């Protein structure tokens, strides 16, 4: 756990960039600092590893006051990832990843073997180890940056806009991979972003800051979306706040309708032109189709992305319904087997009720 207690940072020129900030970043969770440019996010992050010294207040790492801990020992417990990865240009990828293990005088062979495993973990082929940073794309460099931060297996990670410098498609991939890795490693992470969508997607806990490093709100994404503390937070969340909130509403209480399902090329007992759900031999839905002449032919399929009844969100359900040619989302059980379908109008009606309930809670 990382704990800020009444932390203030005032620069010599009188700028207060962090004002009396107290919060807890819980163990094994992702805490995201978010807010507009200049609101003190990076200053807050850098005070954790003492790249910046606070003017007053305390910062505790696992209960230890970081101002009273030996800086080098303290930094060994913290992986640090920055925008543009910040790799050493004249060193190979593997030497970049091993930077901290080399400093710690770890055995070189075992450090390098672990570095190769880490490259794989972050989704890079081991053969990239011998390349130089300039021979990698921006997204690949960012992956190496994450591998480097993980190399000494630190319990804490600080990440400053780690995915901002890459294009939106790569960013989405990196975010998904990062969540997968964190699912296994459960590091205590503090991340900075100016992108509220990224904060809502990655954060277990979100800390919204406003100008002057003033705390605007702390909460889970669902709490902040349902009940923004003030107009500043509501404006920052933007107009798609309601739509975002659908990500956090589960659909398990909904009752799907049993739209007819068929297997390919098998005779069907529905009128021609009615939409049916096509399932494979294991009852897993693969597509929507329309019957013609009493059968469903392979050339009439529209692929579908089914939504899990146990874990799916209203957002997934609504996306699936709106992008389906039948205007309905296909719902499956925990084993991926067909349960039924839900139409977009029914989804919207229940989403409105679910969100209203969340706001009352
Ligand atoms: P953010 O990461 O949210 O964009 P920063 O933490 O970088 O914000 O900066 C917060 C405020 O502190 C800004 O107003 C910035 O201009 C100011 N600031 C940052 N570094 C210094 C410095 N070395 N001297 C004076 N002011 C600074």
């Amino acid at each position: 756990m990382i704990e800020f207690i009444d932390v203030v940072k005032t620069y010599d020129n009188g700028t207060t960039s962090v004002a009396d900030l107290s919060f807890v970043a819980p163990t094994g969770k992702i805490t995201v600092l978010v807010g507009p440019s200049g609101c003190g996010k990076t200053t807050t992050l850098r005070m954790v590893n003492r790249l910046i010294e606070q003017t007053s207040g305390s910062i505790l790492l696992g209960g230890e006051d970081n101002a009273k801990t030996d800086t080098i020992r303290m930094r060994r417990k913290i992986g640090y990832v920055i925008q543009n990865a910040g790799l050493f240009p004249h060193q190979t990828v593997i030497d970049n990843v091993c930077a901290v293990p080399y400093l710690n005088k770890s055995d070189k062979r075992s450090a390098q073997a672990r570095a190769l495993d880490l490259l794989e973990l972050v989704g890079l082929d081991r053969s990239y180890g011998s390349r130089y940073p300039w021979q990698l794309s921006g997204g690949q460099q960012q992956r190496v940056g994450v591998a480097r931060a993980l190399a000494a297996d630190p319990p804490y990670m600080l990440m400053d806009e780690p995915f901002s410098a890459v294009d939106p498609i790569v960013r989405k991939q990196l975010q998904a991979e990062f969540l997968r890795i964190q699912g296994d490693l459960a590091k205590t992470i503090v991340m900075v972003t100016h992108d509220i969508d990224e904060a809502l997607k990655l954060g277990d806990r979100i800390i919204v800051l406003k100008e002057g490093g003033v705390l605007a709100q702390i909460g889970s994404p669902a709490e902040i979306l349902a009940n923004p503390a003030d107009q500043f937070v509501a404006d920052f969340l933007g107009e798609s706040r309601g739509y975002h909130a659908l990500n956090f509403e589960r659909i398990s209480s909904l009752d799907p309708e049993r739209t007819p399902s068929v297997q390919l090329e098998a005779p069907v007992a529905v009128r021609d032109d009615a939409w049916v759900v096509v399932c494979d031999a294991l009852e897993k839905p693969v597509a929507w189709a329309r019957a013609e002449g009493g059968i469903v032919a392979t050339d009439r399929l529209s692929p579908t992305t089914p939504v899990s009844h146990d874990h799916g969100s209203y957002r997934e359900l609504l996306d699936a319904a709106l992008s389906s040619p039948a205007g309905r989302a296909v719902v499956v059980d925990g084993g991926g087997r067909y349960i039924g379908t839900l139409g977009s109008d029914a989804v919207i009606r229940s989403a409105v009720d679910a969100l209203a309930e969340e706001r009352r809670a």
Side-chain angles (χ1 to χ4, degrees):
M1 170 170 109
I2 298 175
E3 194 173 2
F4 272 58
I5 304 168
D6 303 328
V7 173
V8 176
K9 175 66 192 177
T10 306
Y11 285 104
D12 294 343
N13 66 2
T15 313
T16 294
S17 63
V18 175
D20 200 17
L21 187 59
S22 298
F23 70 85
V24 167
T27 305
K29 302 282 181 203
I30 303 173
T31 300
V32 181
L33 295 164
V34 68
S37 180
C39 70
K41 305 180 293 294
T42 296
T43 305
T44 302
L45 194 75
R46 289 184 173 182
M47 287 192 289
V48 178
N49 58 1
R50 291 183 65 189
L51 289 174
I52 297 175
E53 296 277 344
Q54 68 261 32
T55 310
S56 62
S58 318
I59 300 168
L60 312 182
L61 265 76
E64 256 188 283
D65 189 331
N66 78 344
K68 296 181 185 148
T69 316
D70 172 60
T71 310
I72 293 179
R73 192 167 71 82
M74 184 263 295
R75 285 192 187 146
R76 277 192 193 143
K77 291 194 277 181
I78 303 177
Y80 188 37
V81 183
I82 56 173
Q83 193 176 358
N84 290 318
L87 302 179
F88 307 121
H90 304 299
Q91 293 183 8
T92 59
V93 163
I94 201 146
D95 285 342
N96 264 285
V97 175
C98 288
V100 175
Y102 290 166
L103 279 177
N104 291 347
K105 310 245 182 314
S106 304
D107 172 64
K108 196 166 174 179
R109 292 248 315 258
S110 59
Q112 292 188 343
R114 180 171 155 71
L116 290 173
D117 289 345
L118 282 169
L119 287 185
E120 231 166 49
L121 179 74
V122 298
L124 285 177
D125 192 88
R126 290 166 172 258
S127 63
Y128 283 83
S130 54
R131 294 198 190 184
Y132 286 87
W134 55 270
Q135 295 171 308
L136 303 179
S137 70
Q140 290 167 337
Q141 290 184 27
Q142 209 61 54
R143 287 169 196 258
V144 176
V146 172
R148 182 174 64 177
L150 290 170
D153 197 21
Y156 305 104
M157 297 261 283
L158 305 179
M159 308 180 83
D160 195 348
E161 301 269 9
F163 310 124
S164 300
V166 294
D167 66 65
I169 293 173
V170 174
R171 188 182 318 157
K172 235 175 146 177
Q173 288 167 353
L174 290 175
Q175 289 169 342
E177 297 248 326
F178 168 67
L179 284 177
R180 177 184 59 76
I181 294 170
Q182 168 66 358
D184 289 340
L185 301 183
K187 301 285 179 191
T188 304
I189 296 174
V190 181
M191 176 187 290
V192 161
T193 180
H194 63 275
D195 176 357
I196 186 67
D197 291 345
E198 181 163 272
L200 293 169
K201 184 166 173 188
L202 302 182
D204 295 302
R205 167 172 287 210
I206 295 184
I207 299 177
V208 188
L209 296 176
K210 48 186 160 186
E211 209 182 322
V214 174
L215 180 68
Q217 189 165 9
I218 299 185
S220 70
E223 284 163 358
I224 287 179
L225 285 162
N227 292 305
D230 58 19
Q231 196 57 42
F232 169 83
V233 179
D235 289 346
F236 191 66
L237 290 167
E239 282 162 4
S240 50
R241 169 156 77 90
Y243 191 54
H244 275 305
L246 296 179
N247 272 323
F248 304 98
E249 295 297 329
R250 300 291 137 219
I251 61 165
S252 47
S253 62
L254 297 183
D255 252 340
E257 264 176 53
R258 186 81 196 183
T259 305
S261 68
V262 299
Q263 292 198 348
L264 277 180
E265 313 289 358
V268 291
V270 293
R271 65 181 162 73
D272 276 359
D273 257 10
W275 286 106
V276 291
V277 176
V278 179
C279 293
D280 66 13
L282 300 171
E283 279 183 74
K284 295 187 174 167
V286 286
W288 282 100
R290 277 172 146 158
E292 189 179 59
I295 65 151
V296 169
T298 39
D299 58 355
R300 308 201 69 185
L301 300 183
S302 307
T304 180
T305 307
V307 181
S308 157
H309 195 244
D310 298 344
H311 309 293
S313 68
Y314 274 95
R315 168 97 176 247
E316 289 169 88
L317 199 61
L318 194 57
D319 281 343
L322 293 177
S323 53
S324 137
R328 304 182 70 80
V330 177
V331 181
V332 292
D333 67 14
R337 282 176 302 268
Y338 179 59
I339 299 181
T341 69
L342 285 160
S344 49
D345 46 355
V347 175
I348 291 170
R349 270 199 308 277
S350 15
V352 169
D353 293 345
L355 290 180
E357 198 159 311
E358 182 78 35
R359 274 185 210 111
R360 278 194 299 272

